[in-house]
Amino acid sequence: MAPALQPHLIAAYAFLARTDDLADQGPVHERLPRWRDWADQVASGLDSGHAQDPVLRAFLHTVSVRQLPHHWVHTYLKATDEELHFTGHATEADFQRYVDNLALPALMLMEDLQHEGGGDAVFRSRCRSFAEGLQRLDFLADLTEDLGGGRLYLPQDQAGPDGLTGPARLHRAEFPAVAAGPAGAGRASAVPCRARRCLHHPPHRRIRPPQTPRRPAPRAADRQGRLIVSGHGRTSTFKDSRSFIAR
């Protein structure tokens, strides 16, 4: 990303990180009031252009200077609010909606910085493929940690006909979606890599994505999948950039 845009990238990242922390840390009954207060501050700030919170104030400046489309912020906030009560993806279609409503808007709040007023439909389409691949890779990389907490973020229609019955069965890898972790890592990593090539080599001009997945990511996800299948999974040490996906 051009040096002149890097302060705006930092402002967008800080906003996403703050939003993620407020929505994700602590018991739900504690998160809800502080999250709703933050969401109200953001909505009010988008309308007025002003905010007391320094992180939000810097982000609003970036939104104004780069003319970021407000709909990405509103969509992201709405999906994050719904995420507070998230219990998993029942189907692949549910996962695709998750990408459209949360992962893609979070990514576009950074990628669209390259285009004053927002990128065109072709650029958004490439970013969408990139966001989906990153989200799948993130779920795979965090698989051990999530299973330890009794959660499975992979679509449950891929997890077996009888659904989920608890962490004990998950750790024995009795569901195809869990047992297929190593192979799934390869499939998931291929999507962001293909999308990254499209972003780097568009038809008419060079567009660089602000950040791309680290090369060890697919290997980390693959290793976690193999550990789970063998029954020796531990908490993952790999974390994809929070700037792309907030959970």
Side-chain angles (χ1 to χ4, degrees), residues 4-246:
L5 296 180
Q6 290 175 10
H8 296 301
L9 179 62
I10 292 171
Y13 177 92
F15 167 74
L16 291 167
R18 169 68 67 81
T19 302
D20 186 30
D21 286 344
L22 290 171
D24 198 46
Q25 294 182 355
V28 173
H29 71 275
E30 294 179 2
R31 282 183 273 161
L32 282 172
R34 70 171 183 246
W35 159 253
R36 286 170 179 161
D37 178 64
W38 175 250
D40 288 343
Q41 289 184 56
V42 175
S44 176
L46 287 172
D47 289 338
S48 67
H50 303 288
Q52 293 297 316
D53 184 272
V55 171
L56 180 55
R57 189 164 61 244
F59 176 67
L60 293 175
H61 173 72
T62 285
V63 170
S64 175
V65 171
R66 298 305 299 163
Q67 298 179 34
L68 280 175
H70 286 197
H71 71 84
W72 289 130
V73 185
H74 290 301
T75 302
Y76 174 67
L77 290 176
K78 183 176 184 295
T80 303
D81 185 73
E82 295 170 354
E83 181 78 355
L84 291 170
H85 307 284
F86 181 75
T87 57
H89 303 295
T91 66
E92 175 65 20
D94 291 330
F95 169 75
Q96 294 298 330
R97 282 190 291 272
Y98 180 93
V99 173
D100 287 332
N101 295 332
L102 194 143
L104 178 61
L107 178 63
M108 295 309 295
L109 289 178
M110 294 180 298
E111 293 287 0
D112 260 356
L113 293 172
Q114 302 174 87
H115 306 274
E116 191 170 307
D120 60 20
V122 174
F123 182 71
R124 288 194 299 274
S125 175
R126 290 168 176 159
C127 287
R128 206 282 182 190
S129 296
F130 196 44
E132 178 181 342
L134 284 170
Q135 187 64 74
R136 290 188 189 278
L137 191 57
D138 182 64
F139 285 165
L140 287 166
D142 290 344
L143 191 57
T144 308
E145 180 179 348
D146 291 338
L147 292 181
R151 304 181 302 274
L152 179 63
Y153 286 94
L154 300 174
Q156 294 179 23
D157 62 354
Q158 301 174 15
D162 56 349
L164 306 181
T165 59
R169 287 193 67 191
L170 292 175
H171 277 297
R172 291 199 298 270
E174 294 183 11
F175 296 104
V178 179
R187 290 194 300 272
S189 64
V191 177
C193 289
R194 286 196 301 270
R196 179 177 58 189
R197 286 195 294 272
C198 289
L199 288 168
H200 276 290
H201 303 287
H204 303 297
R205 67 176 182 270
R206 183 174 177 84
I207 302 173
R208 297 184 63 88
Q211 301 187 48
T212 54
R214 293 174 290 179
R215 290 187 181 277
R219 291 196 294 271
D222 179 88
R223 180 172 181 273
Q224 289 300 319
R226 294 181 189 282
L227 286 172
I228 291 167
V229 171
S230 67
H232 298 91
R234 296 182 299 172
T235 299
S236 172
T237 57
F238 170 80
K239 288 287 184 183
D240 239 347
S241 174
R242 232 182 3 178
S243 60
F244 288 121
I245 313 299

